[in-house]
Amino acid sequence: QVQLVESGGGLVQPGGSLRLSCAASGSIFSINKIAWYRQAPGKQRELVASITSGGQTNYADPVKGRFTISRDNGENTGYLQMNSLKPEDTAVYYCNANLRVSRYSGYSRDYWGQGTQVTVSS
């Protein structure tokens, strides 16, 4: 019953900004970690940024200083603010969340969104 839905992608000029959202819905007890991945044509999917339940973040080197990951625990939503976008940022961006679905079980697993296209071009 858990579903992740990304939104906010689109076409933007180099130097522009976009804010991606990842909304989790369904039976969710808690979300441990939220991460954003991206996959460009002909390349493997790569980790862009992640944030833990305690708010600790990490970023891939190519996006450090330009991207910011955050989360709204009350709304079960994750965000990726992307500034100073470059053509090499063009990719399909995927949301990943490791979450617990039941208060009666400590088992957690990863869920994936369907992806949202980000295109940076003049």
Side-chain angles (χ1 to χ4, degrees), residues 22-37:
C22 174
S25 61
S27 180
I28 300 172
F29 181 72
S30 62
I31 301 177
N32 301 314
K33 180 184 287 187
I34 299 173
W36 288 94
Y37 292 76

Side-chain angles (χ1 to χ4, degrees), residues 68-115:
T68 302
I69 188 170
S70 61
R71 60 191 290 170
D72 184 334
N73 293 327
E75 298 294 332
N76 288 331
T77 302
Y79 302 95
L80 185 68
Q81 178 67 46
M82 305 184 294
N83 299 325
S84 301
L85 283 163
K86 304 175 180 180
E88 49 263 45
D89 295 319
T90 296
V92 177
Y93 284 71
Y94 297 90
C95 178
N96 171 272
N98 181 270
L99 57 83
R100 178 180 174 182
V101 300
S102 174
R103 64 173 294 183
Y104 304 109
S105 175
Y107 177 76
S108 300
R109 59 155 289 183
D110 282 9
Y111 293 84
W112 289 88
Q114 82 291 340

